Amino acid sequence: MVGIIGTSLQGEGGFLHSYAVFFSSNTYVRILIRTLVSASVVTVFCLLLGYPYAYLMSRTRGWVLQVLSGIVLLSFFTSVMVRSFAWIVLLQRNGIIDQLVQSLGMGSLVLRGTTLGVNLAMVQIMLPFMIFPLYSVMAGFDNRLGTASTSLGAHRRTTFWRIYFPLSMPGVVSGSVIVFVTSLGFYIIPGMVGGPSSQLLSYLIYSLVNNDLNVVMASTASVVMLVSALILVLPIMRRFDLSSKAVARFSVPEPMGERKPRLLLLWSGLVAALLMLPGLVVVPISFPENRSFVFPPTGFSLTWYRNFFTQPDWWGSFISSLQVAALVTVVATALSVLTALALTRVSPRARMLIRAIVLTPKIMPGIVIAIAIYGLFLNWHLNSSVTGFVIAHTLKALPFAFLPIAAALEQFDSRLEHASSSLGASKWTTFVSVVLPMIRTGMLTGGLFAFVISFDEVVVSLFLSGARMRTLPVQMYRSIESDVDPTVAAASTMLLVLTTLIVVLTMIYTNKKRN
């Protein structure tokens, strides 16, 4: 970040000249306002859609909870490129939405290239980031509070607004901050689904670097984005703890013995359908006879799967992604364990500082992190190298790996360490034989998050990729950007199948562990 700020001050016109140029340009200011409005709209709609869904999750148990949580996990772990490609098919001319509107005799509705289309796609992609923290808070509620309120004559609506909603505010704020900041710096959807009239600041920054080679103005726009995010986020961070364990805490609540409102069930069903929508679109398009993204596809062919396994660009990028993700999983998990152990041995003030540093990438716009890493790695000659990708992806994955591991260590009884030491065990033996087995579930969860975040990372990878090194998400992006190649649909389908297997195996392991 120091490098970005320094670069933004190096304009030819002198100190702060680039900022004067930025704010004197009607185009730049209009894009900034559009970006802030778009991120706010996405956040509001994610909250409206996600809150009832998380509420239903917190009021159910058994197989219903497993289905609801499985849908959220599947959507969260599904590659951003897979979902982005699905939205291209949905929103394009003669796409699914356009065909549906035409069949109703309402003319044509092409949403690709519009702000509405960008916001709609971003809402679907950001929904899990809202539902996770909401449910994490709601699942910890004491159900006796609602029972006490009802027994005192309060209406169900009064109980909700006076007791339930105020208690859920930490989840509301945490989810809103994560969605807003992520949307603010999200590049993929504006770049693939949007157009000139819906251009956002993240796409402008990428264009300034990739097309205009104007690093100074790109750094200026990045600083403006970061400052805008901090102005809105810091006051909230001071009041609420955004480091809550918003990580897959799908525990089984006590039986409620209450009927769920039909409207709540209907709303949650629509949200579930929205979360699963990309998978329903991508799979059929991976089997067409011709090179097209038309839905429904014509004919049946496995050519595009054969292309994936035989063409060096596709297969090589897949192997590169696996290699980088495996290394990131090991490094991020090890660093998270060491950092979480350090938190248990330092003062509260130092603990707060360390936690804030580790979680910083989680609340920074992705495009800003990409610009910072790109400028730094240029000087270190790490672009287009395995080492560079591992370092950059570890930085992005570390917050997600750290949270479940830190949560597991917070529940660890430190007296077990003392007992082990008193029996003559060395610190290393105690660590390996006592501590690690007790936090194994947290490590597996953190490692899984690190692997998925690394394998799916595309914004930073776009800046780091080159002729020598390209990951699968970057290959998919380049393919969609330059050609009509159903091989990207075949790759998306295989990633979707892999994601489903990961989610199913994770839930089976969790259920066995609980039993």
Side-chain angles (χ1 to χ4, degrees):
M1 284 310 305
V2 174
I4 289 182
I5 296 173
T7 302
S8 69
L9 301 175
Q10 294 176 1
E12 296 180 358
F15 193 69
L16 297 179
H17 175 72
S18 60
Y19 291 94
V21 172
F22 184 93
F23 286 104
S24 62
S25 170
N26 291 331
T27 301
Y28 289 164
V29 173
R30 186 164 57 250
I31 291 175
L32 173 62
I33 294 174
R34 185 189 300 135
T35 301
L36 294 173
V37 172
S38 178
S40 301
V41 169
V42 170
T43 302
V44 169
F45 274 92
C46 281
L47 182 59
L48 292 176
L49 292 170
Y51 194 99
Y53 191 92
Y55 177 80
L56 180 62
M57 286 176 62
S58 69
R59 312 298 288 181
T60 56
R61 61 188 181 94
W63 68 269
V64 178
L65 176 60
Q66 291 182 2
V67 170
L68 293 174
S69 59
I71 291 173
V72 180
L73 283 170
L74 181 59
S75 178
F76 177 81
F77 285 132
T78 299
S79 171
V80 172
M81 290 305 305
V82 173
R83 290 181 281 174
S84 301
F85 172 69
W87 279 106
I88 290 176
V89 176
L90 284 163
L91 303 176
Q92 66 185 354
R93 185 174 299 278
N94 294 322
I96 297 176
I97 293 178
D98 190 24
Q99 291 181 33
L100 178 62
V101 171
Q102 291 182 30
S103 66
L104 297 175
M106 301 171 61
S108 179
L109 181 62
V110 181
L111 295 178
R112 187 179 182 186
T114 66
T115 301
L116 177 60
V118 171
N119 290 340
L120 181 61
M122 288 179 65
V123 166
Q124 193 275 335
I125 289 175
M126 295 297 162
L127 254 179
F129 292 93
M130 179 66 75
I131 294 175
F132 270 129
L134 283 172
Y135 175 74
S136 181
V137 172
M138 293 177 182
F141 286 172
D142 188 346
N143 299 316
R144 293 173 298 181
L145 294 175
T147 304
S149 174
T150 305
S151 66
L152 292 174
H155 191 270
R156 179 183 295 178
R157 187 180 299 107
T158 303
T159 300
F160 175 82
W161 287 111
R162 292 292 184 87
I163 297 178
Y164 204 91
F165 186 75
L167 289 175
S168 68
M169 277 304 296
V172 171
V173 173
S174 180
S176 298
V177 168
I178 293 173
V179 170
F180 179 82
V181 174
T182 306
S183 301
L184 203 62
F186 201 61
Y187 164 72
I188 301 304
I189 288 296
M192 296 177 62
V193 177
S197 63
S198 59
Q199 187 179 24
L200 300 183
L201 195 57
S202 56
Y203 186 78
L204 172 65
I205 294 171
Y206 179 79
S207 298
L208 287 170
V209 174
N210 194 53
N211 300 332
D212 302 338
L213 301 179
N214 192 344
V215 180
V216 173
M217 189 54 65
S219 299
T220 302
S222 299
V223 173
V224 171
M225 176 185 286
L226 180 60
V227 171
S228 302
L230 292 177
I231 289 175
L232 296 171
V233 167
L234 281 180
I236 300 175
M237 291 180 63
R238 289 183 177 180
R239 182 173 181 182
F240 295 91
D241 180 18
L242 300 187
S243 62
S244 60
K245 293 103 183 158
V247 183
R249 195 180 68 175
F250 295 111
S251 57
V252 180
E254 293 298 322
M256 302 298 172
E258 61 178 4
R259 294 185 61 184
K260 311 299 183 297
R262 292 183 179 179
L263 182 60
L264 176 63
L265 296 175
L266 176 62
W267 187 269
S268 299
L270 293 175
V271 173
L274 178 62
L275 290 171
M276 295 188 298
L277 186 58
L280 301 177
V281 173
V282 166
V283 176
I285 294 182
S286 65
F287 299 101
E289 286 183 340
N290 304 319
R291 298 176 69 92
S292 70
F293 294 151
V294 176
F295 190 95
T298 57
F300 180 87
S301 175
L302 296 175
T303 301
W304 317 112
Y305 288 89
R306 190 182 308 114
N307 287 349
F308 180 85
F309 289 105
T310 57
Q311 292 185 2
D313 288 345
W314 286 100
W315 182 247
S317 62
F318 175 70
I319 296 300
S320 296
S321 290
L322 285 179
Q323 179 184 10
V324 172
L327 292 172
V328 169
T329 301
V330 174
V331 175
T333 303
L335 289 176
S336 297
V337 170
L338 295 176
T339 305
L341 284 172
L343 292 183
T344 63
R345 290 162 169 80
V346 297
S347 64
R349 182 172 298 180
R351 188 181 305 129
M352 184 180 301
L353 177 61
I354 294 173
R355 185 181 288 269
I357 292 174
V358 173
L359 297 180
T360 296
K362 189 178 180 183
I363 56 173
M364 282 184 64
I367 193 70
V368 176
I369 297 176
I371 290 290
I373 292 175
Y374 174 74
L376 191 63
F377 282 12
L378 275 179
N379 298 327
W380 292 355
H381 304 288
L382 289 176
N383 285 351
S384 193
S385 69
V386 174
T387 303
F389 272 89
V390 170
I391 294 174
H393 286 197
T394 300
L395 179 66
K396 294 290 296 290
L398 189 59
F400 296 91
F402 168 77
L403 286 175
I405 293 173
L409 269 174
E410 287 177 3
Q411 299 174 0
F412 176 70
D413 189 348
S414 60
R415 293 176 298 180
L416 295 176
E417 287 186 89
H418 299 305
S420 177
S421 300
S422 67
L423 293 174
S426 64
K427 290 184 177 181
W428 175 253
T429 302
T430 300
F431 175 72
V432 173
S433 302
V434 178
V435 177
L436 288 184
M438 296 298 293
I439 63 171
R440 178 178 55 191
T441 301
M443 290 175 60
L444 289 174
T445 304
L448 177 61
F449 272 85
F451 182 89
V452 173
I453 294 296
S454 172
F455 194 89
D456 190 36
E457 214 297 312
V458 61
V459 178
V460 174
S461 300
L462 279 171
F463 285 85
L464 298 182
S465 62
R468 295 181 301 163
M469 182 77 178
R470 177 180 290 185
T471 59
L472 183 58
V474 174
Q475 173 63 25
M476 295 172 68
Y477 181 87
R478 299 298 186 199
S479 175
I480 296 172
E481 188 180 44
S482 60
D483 193 12
V484 178
D485 184 1
T487 305
V488 70
S492 299
T493 300
M494 286 186 287
L495 288 180
L496 192 62
V497 171
L498 178 62
T499 301
T500 304
L501 288 176
I502 291 175
V503 172
V504 171
L505 292 176
T506 301
M507 297 191 71
I508 291 175
Y509 174 80
T510 303
N511 289 334
K512 287 185 177 180
K513 188 74 174 177
R514 182 185 298 126
N515 293 334

